[in-house]
Amino acid sequence: MLLDELYAKEVVCPICSNKFKTSKVRRSKMRIEKRDSDLLAYYKGENPIKYSVFVCPECGYAAMENIFNKIKEKDKNIIREKVSSKWNKRELPLKRSIDDAIEYYKLALYCGQLIDLKRVQLGNICLRISWLYRIKGDDEEERFLNYSLSMFEEGYYNERFSKEGFDEITLGYLIGELYRRIGEIDKAISWFGTVVSNPLVKQKPRIEKLAREQWYVAKEQKRAGA
Ligand SMILES: [Zn+2]
């Protein structure tokens, strides 16, 4: 039985054409309680980030919802060869635990690496895995935060910004904030400075405010000798 806050969405797998149901959190039931400075949002009930990866129970293909169907023909064959051939069909729970969600994101990360997704998209998957570990209170958070940071930075310099990823301002802010979180304060300060001096920042007032706040926090940390 689904809880009131979840509903089942029917999805057709682009790899094996299997039809399956995946849960989503009803928008009307979402109540944000607080947000961390790296944009992780906490909710009163189910956290929708647990449901952003779709997994086909039949063939094992997993991807973030926004790109699940955008897979190229040649990449479908890669998934069939490397994932589906080894996948044990199984029923997947409609209500996901944190551990279920971590497992599905890792599967999406694996599929994404096989088909060579953009660095920024892979970094986003890693950031979400890091968030799930944070919610769980698990030290693995830091390892995935580091992966995320290096992929974001590589993507920032080498990839075109697209609607499947982050815009330049949000990505620059996240890189600064992730540097601050791993204790590289000078790099954090430099990234926040880059973000607030970018003319595009005016289009993102919420991020601009955050960047100025965290820039100040980082400078205070430096002054305190952190
Ligand atoms: Zn499938």
Side-chain angles (χ1 to χ4, degrees):
M1 279 290 281
L2 281 183
L3 290 174
D4 192 30
E5 57 187 327
L6 296 178
Y7 68 96
K9 180 185 164 82
E10 188 151 286
V11 181
V12 180
C13 174
I15 310 294
C16 71
S17 308
N18 169 49
K19 264 190 202 163
F20 64 96
K21 285 190 168 141
T22 191
S23 305
K24 304 244 308 152
V25 180
R26 281 182 209 284
R27 224 164 244 289
S28 61
K29 301 281 179 187
M30 291 182 197
R31 298 277 180 275
I32 292 187
E33 261 182 338
K34 60 166 182 155
R35 248 183 238 278
D36 285 346
S37 51
D38 61 356
L39 310 181
L40 163 58
Y42 297 82
Y43 292 77
K44 255 205 158 71
E46 281 289 270
N47 195 319
I49 69 160
K50 282 161 64 184
Y51 298 93
S52 309
V53 167
F54 289 177
V55 183
C56 174
E58 191 73 15
C59 74
Y61 169 57
M64 296 272 289
E65 173 178 7
N66 63 336
I67 56 159
F68 189 78
N69 283 306
K70 293 186 184 164
I71 180 163
K72 297 186 192 106
E73 285 307 318
K74 70 167 177 48
D75 290 338
K76 290 183 184 177
N77 287 327
I78 294 175
I79 298 296
R80 283 179 194 122
E81 219 171 277
K82 309 260 182 190
V83 178
S84 310
S85 62
K86 296 176 191 133
W87 177 255
N88 294 316
K89 286 179 211 175
R90 58 183 164 126
E91 281 218 22
L92 301 175
L94 286 172
K95 184 172 162 64
R96 297 179 177 179
S97 67
I98 291 283
D99 287 321
D100 293 331
I102 290 171
E103 185 196 342
Y104 303 157
Y105 271 101
K106 286 185 178 172
L107 196 53
L109 180 62
Y110 179 62
C111 290
Q113 283 171 320
L114 288 174
I115 63 172
D116 218 9
L117 281 186
K118 286 186 174 179
R119 295 271 126 191
V120 171
Q121 289 172 302
L122 294 173
N124 187 25
I125 295 174
C126 290
L127 179 61
R128 285 157 172 263
I129 295 173
S130 162
W131 285 347
L132 290 165
Y133 279 124
R134 184 183 309 161
I135 292 171
K136 198 186 163 191
D138 187 316
D139 290 345
E140 279 287 274
E141 171 190 348
E142 202 181 320
R143 190 158 68 96
F144 281 90
L145 203 130
N146 272 292
Y147 291 150
S148 172
L149 176 55
S150 61
M151 290 190 228
F152 279 167
E153 202 168 14
E154 221 182 296
Y156 188 95
Y157 290 121
N158 302 312
E159 290 166 358
R160 220 186 264 254
F161 293 96
S162 70
K163 63 177 181 348
E164 281 88 26
F166 292 102
D167 61 89
E168 185 177 339
I169 296 301
T170 308
L171 187 61
Y173 169 73
L174 276 171
I175 294 171
E177 179 56 16
L178 298 187
Y179 267 127
R180 197 191 62 78
R181 282 174 178 256
I182 64 165
E184 297 223 26
I185 305 301
D186 286 332
K187 285 190 176 166
I189 290 172
S190 152
W191 274 95
F192 292 137
T194 303
V195 169
V196 300
S197 60
N198 186 328
L200 293 172
V201 81
K202 293 295 163 208
Q203 296 167 15
K204 296 270 160 192
R206 188 169 72 94
I207 300 292
E208 180 181 14
K209 184 167 175 278
L210 276 170
R212 289 189 187 283
E213 283 167 8
Q214 295 309 99
W215 197 12
Y216 179 77
V217 170
K219 283 188 217 160
E220 286 299 303
Q221 277 177 296
K222 190 179 161 77
R223 198 165 300 150

